[in-house]
Structures are given as structure tokens and as C-alpha cells.
């Protein structure tokens, strides 16, 4: 696929038969250019999606050479897994002479769209992104690709565009975790997951379901909840534990949710893991800061970040053809601690 070069002021000048200086002044609303001509030039720029190179402009008169900058979009800075991925991206990028420009979508589609536009305007050499939870339209990602900006997804991949991705083996991680719960005596295992619009949630749910079937246990939809944070877990779990046929095990989509289950179960007088076993998914710092320490699936976020940066830089430097889509999977590992028997 041939890379589509972004429109430049030189292109506008050539198309309109004027000088680059005139284009520059018009785009800056200079009074030296007539209002009619300014409007004509600005309208042409808008219609052809021209975006000024902010970094180049700021460095135009500087002796410092422009840096090779990678844009990174992270859903939440406070989430251990995302911060560990960011660390991996930065380490790999820095080692290869690149810098990163980081923005937080805060799980908001509109904010994600604006970040993509800002990255494009700042002429980043590529973008690494995990999509926001409520992103259901993908035009902003496709626009970057169409403009020749390399794009790599991590963790939450976007199936709506053809782009490279780095994920952990969510399915096998869930399969192994739930198998461990069953093999240590659990028979009614609840699943707390994110929205099924997210690929990671579907993969973890499928691993959960297949582990039950593999061990001869019929899946029970009454034990499945959309719940992916501690606050919601503390609201939902009391009702689950008051069921006549209550769960004796919980598998949660992340550690924070698992810790919410743990806190609630203990507060209600249940012994963990004697009465209730709990398994999370992340292996962040909080997993060893709770009592008992949390059994969880290790995601190896640093490795995910390194792989994502490696692919992106491969595109920029020509080591990977732009039309080749990379699919890399980082293996998970079950860490057994005190919340399971």
C-alpha cells in the first residue's frame, strides 16, 4: 500500500499558483493578505485536510534537530497495566533514539478523536494506542492510516480497521485461571468482565466458558456480570454471595475488580479461600498489597509495550513494509497466591 503524504504549504501554493510565503501568511490571518484571498486559501486548506506542522514550526529557527516522536494514547494513567505498557514503550523507543508524546483518553471516545487529530497536527512519526471503552466508531484511526501515519494497537485492539496489534493471550490466561479454580475445588464460578464489545473481554469470557465445559460444568449465565472496577464489584458482590446457590469462586477481568470481591467477601464474614476463591487478571502492585495476596494472571505489560514500539519503529524505518500487518501475542502466566486453595 503506497503511503499517502500529508498536504504541505508548498502543495497548496503550487495548486493555487501563489508563493509559499503567501500561503503561510494567509493561514496565520496576516493583514498583509486581502480578506478575500485569505478566505480562499483557508477554505482550500480545510477542504483538503491540511494540518500545520506545529513541531516543525517551533523548531524552524532552532539549532536543535527535530526529534523522532511517537504518539501514545493510554486509556488511564492510574491503571498499573497501562503504566507498565507505557514503561515498555518508552524504554524501547528511547533505546532506539525516539521520544514519546503521551495522552490519556480517560476512556472517552471524543477525547480520543481529539488526541488523534492533535498527534497528526504535531506530525508524530506513528501512533500506539489502546482504544477507549466507549469507542464504537473508528474513523479517527482510519484517517491516520489513510494519511500514512503508522498505527499499532495494544491490549484493546480495534477490529474495525486493518492495523497491527500486540495483545496478551487473554483466552489461555482465563482458561488456565478458571481451570485452577475448578481443580482446587470450585464448582460455581462467577465471571466479572468488561463490555463484550471489547475483544479482550470476549476472549477472557470464552476462556472462562471453555474451562467450565472442559471440566464438565455447564455454564450458568446467572453467574456472569458486567463489572470491571472495584466500586462496582463492592456493589454487585453482596447480592451474588446471598444467592441460595452462591458462587464458591470468582474470576475477575482485572485485579481491582478481584480486590473489590475480596474486600466484600471478607466484610460479609466469608473466609478466603476456604469459603470463596478469587482470581484476578493483571498482577499489579495491589495484588501483593491485599490480605490474603491475590492469585492472578500476569499480563507482562512491559513486554507488550516493547513489542508495540518495536513494530511501530519497524514501520518508520522501513524494516517492516507498511502493508504488512503484525499480530504479536505475549504469553500470560498464572501466579498462585493466597486467594485460591
Amino acid at each position: 500500500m503506497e503511503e499517502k503524504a500529508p498536504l504541505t504549504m508548498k502543495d497548496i501554493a503550487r495548486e493555487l499558483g501563489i508563493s509559499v510565503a503567501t500561503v503561510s501568511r494567509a493561514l496565520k490571518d496576516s493583514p498583509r493578505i486581502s480578506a478575500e484571498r485569505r478566505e480562499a486559501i483557508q477554505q482550500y486548506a480545510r477542504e483538503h485536510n491540511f494540518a500545520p506542522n506545529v513541531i516543525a514550526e517551533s523548531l524552524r529557527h532552532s539549532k536543535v534537530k527535530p526529534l523522532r516522536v511517537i504518539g501514545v494514547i493510554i486509556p488511564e494513567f492510574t491503571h498499573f497495566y497501562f503504566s507498565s505498557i507505557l514503561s515498555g514503550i518508552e524504554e524501547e523507543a528511547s533505546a532506539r533514539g525516539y521520544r514519546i508524546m503521551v495522552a490519556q483518553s480517560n476512556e472517552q471516545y471524543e477525547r480520543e478523536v481529539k488526541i488523534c487529530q492533535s498527534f497528526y497536527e504535531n506530525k508524530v512519526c506513528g501512533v500506539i494506542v489502546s482504544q477507549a471503552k466507549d469507542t464504537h466508531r473508528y474513523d479517527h484511526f482510519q484517517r491516520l492510516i489513510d494519511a500514512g501515519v503508522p498505527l499499532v494497537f495494544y491490549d484493546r485492539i480495534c477490529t474495525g480497521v486493518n492495523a497491527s496489534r500486540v495483545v496478551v493471550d487473554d483466552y489461555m490466561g482465563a482458561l488456565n485461571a478458571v481451570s485452577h479454580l475448578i481443580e482446587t475445588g470450585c464448582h460455581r464460578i462467577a465471571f466479572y468482565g468488561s463490555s463484550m464489545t471489547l475483544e479482550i473481554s470476549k476472549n477472557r469470557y470464552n476462556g472462562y466458558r471453555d474451562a467450565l465445559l472442559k471440566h464438565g460444568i455447564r455454564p450458568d449465565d446467572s453467574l456472569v456480570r458486567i463489572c470491571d472496577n472495584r466500586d462496582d464489584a463492592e456493589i454487585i458482590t453482596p447480592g451474588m454471595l446471598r444467592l441460595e446457590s452462591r458462587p464458591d469462586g470468582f474470576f475477575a477481568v482485572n485485579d481491582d475488580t478481584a480486590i473489590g470481591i475480596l474486600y466484600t467477601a471478607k466484610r460479609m464474614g466469608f473466609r478466603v479461600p476456604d469459603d470463596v476463591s478469587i482470581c484476578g487478571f493483571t498482577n499489579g502492585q495491589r495484588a501483593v498489597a491485599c490480605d490474603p495476596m491475590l492469585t492472578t494472571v500476569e499480563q507482562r505489560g512491559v513486554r507488550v509495550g516493547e513489542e508495540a514500539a518495536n513494530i511501530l519503529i519497524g514501520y518508520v524505518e522501513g524494516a517492516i513494509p507498511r502493508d504488512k500487518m503484525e499480530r504479536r501475542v505475549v504469553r500470560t502466566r498464572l501466579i498462585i497466591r493466597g486467594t485460591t486453595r
Side-chain angles (χ1 to χ4, degrees):
M1 183 174 66
E2 186 177 349
E3 180 180 345
K4 183 179 178 182
L7 187 73
T8 66
M9 284 193 286
K10 186 180 291 186
D11 296 328
I12 297 174
R14 183 175 61 250
E15 290 298 320
L16 299 181
I18 55 180
S19 70
V20 175
T22 299
V23 174
S24 178
R25 292 186 185 111
L27 294 177
K28 293 177 181 176
D29 279 324
S30 170
R32 295 175 62 182
I33 309 297
S34 70
E36 184 178 355
R37 172 162 282 193
R38 282 204 309 270
E39 175 56 30
I41 295 169
Q42 291 173 8
Q43 182 176 344
Y44 183 91
R46 285 194 300 271
E47 289 174 352
H48 292 80
N49 297 317
F50 172 75
N53 189 333
V54 178
I55 292 177
E57 187 68 24
S58 65
L59 295 175
R60 190 176 302 280
H61 303 294
S62 171
K63 295 180 180 180
V64 179
K65 295 177 68 175
L67 298 173
R68 294 181 290 180
V69 180
I70 298 170
V72 181
I73 303 178
I74 187 168
E76 293 179 290
F77 281 119
T78 56
H79 197 297
F80 173 83
Y81 181 54
F82 292 132
S83 63
S84 64
I85 290 174
L86 185 60
S87 178
I89 292 172
E90 200 282 329
E91 286 179 16
E92 180 71 11
S94 179
R96 298 180 63 174
Y98 290 76
R99 296 292 178 265
I100 63 174
M101 180 185 295
V102 186
Q104 176 181 237
S105 69
N106 204 26
E107 303 288 15
Q108 297 171 13
Y109 164 77
E110 294 294 343
R111 189 163 176 172
E112 187 178 80
V113 171
K114 290 178 181 177
I115 293 168
C116 286
Q117 179 64 24
S118 174
F119 280 170
Y120 177 71
E121 291 173 359
N122 282 279
K123 296 296 187 289
V124 296
C125 63
V127 175
I128 299 173
V129 56
S130 180
Q131 72 174 55
K133 285 181 184 177
D134 68 351
T135 294
H136 302 297
R137 297 195 303 275
Y138 314 114
D139 293 353
H140 53 304
F141 295 139
Q142 191 61 52
R143 281 195 294 271
L144 288 174
I145 294 172
D146 292 343
V149 180
L151 190 66
V152 178
F153 286 95
Y154 66 90
D155 189 52
R156 300 184 197 152
I157 62 173
C158 174
T159 56
V161 296
N162 191 26
S164 291
R165 61 196 60 175
V166 181
V167 296
V168 299
D169 195 342
D170 294 295
Y171 173 84
M172 284 304 300
L175 182 76
N176 291 335
V178 177
S179 293
H180 169 68
L181 289 170
I182 296 168
E183 289 160 7
T184 53
C186 297
H187 300 287
R188 284 186 58 76
I189 302 169
F191 174 84
Y192 283 19
S194 299
S195 167
M196 289 299 170
T197 60
L198 295 175
E199 202 70 15
I200 62 167
S201 192
K202 287 188 281 189
N203 289 337
R204 291 176 195 178
Y205 172 75
N206 289 335
Y208 157 81
R209 183 182 175 85
D210 286 354
L212 297 178
L213 294 172
K214 176 183 174 183
H215 290 83
I217 299 174
R218 179 179 294 181
D220 183 348
D221 289 343
S222 71
L223 298 178
V224 176
R225 295 287 185 276
I226 300 300
C227 175
D228 62 3
N229 59 77
R230 178 171 178 167
D231 289 343
D232 287 348
E234 292 182 15
I235 293 169
I236 292 170
T237 304
M240 296 288 280
L241 290 175
R242 291 190 186 107
L243 292 173
E244 184 176 346
S245 184
R246 66 168 179 81
D248 55 8
F250 288 83
F251 173 62
V253 72
N254 57 45
D255 285 357
D256 282 350
T257 303
I259 291 169
I261 298 167
L262 170 62
Y263 173 84
T264 304
K266 288 174 63 178
R267 181 167 49 82
M268 293 177 68
F270 290 94
R271 297 170 300 165
V272 180
D274 296 335
D275 301 324
V276 179
S277 290
I278 302 164
C279 182
F281 206 115
T282 301
N283 195 34
Q285 295 168 342
R286 295 174 187 173
V288 294
C290 55
D291 180 28
M293 290 191 288
L294 186 67
T295 292
T296 187
V297 178
E298 184 178 44
Q299 287 182 275
R300 300 175 62 203
V302 172
R303 183 62 181 163
V304 170
E306 290 171 346
E307 289 287 347
N310 181 269
I311 295 171
L312 195 285
I313 294 170
Y315 283 137
V316 173
E317 298 184 349
I320 303 174
R322 291 290 179 93
D323 59 354
K324 182 183 179 184
M325 297 301 105
E326 291 284 319
R327 306 285 191 272
R328 297 188 189 176
V329 179
V330 175
R331 292 190 177 185
T332 56
R333 183 166 63 109
L334 181 63
I335 308 296
I336 299 172
R337 298 195 182 98
T339 56
T340 55
R341 304 178 196 125

